[in-house]
Amino acid sequence: MNKSFEKWSKAAGVRAVKTIAQTAVATIGTSAVLSAVDWKVVISASLLAGLLSLLTSVAGLPEVKEDKEE
């Protein structure tokens, strides 16, 4: 696999997982009590946020510097 793609996919994956976790916490936090959490909404919103994070990462990630030598 190309080293650049490997670096990008790792960084984008980490970013997407963090986004999923943050969205889940925020969505769960909107419920007054834990028993009132709509888990389908939490899961779908979190996965959508993760997908959007990956798509946004296509534009570039500041933590992945391009090597000009390649």
Side-chain angles (χ1 to χ4, degrees):
M1 194 179 332
N2 185 347
K3 281 274 192 204
S4 295
F5 179 74
E6 214 172 298
K7 284 182 181 179
W8 177 87
S9 60
K10 182 177 179 181
V14 167
R15 201 176 255 220
V17 169
K18 287 180 180 181
T19 301
I20 289 169
Q22 291 167 344
T23 303
V25 168
T27 308
I28 291 168
T30 61
S31 297
V33 291
L34 195 56
S35 62
V37 174
D38 186 349
W39 291 104
K40 288 181 184 176
V41 171
V42 172
I43 292 168
S44 65
S46 299
L47 291 177
L48 178 60
L51 176 62
L52 292 174
S53 174
L54 285 173
L55 292 174
T56 302
S57 295
V58 171
L61 295 170
E63 58 267 34
V64 178
K65 296 182 174 133
E66 291 184 28
D67 295 330
K68 300 296 179 186
E69 297 173 6
E70 291 182 20

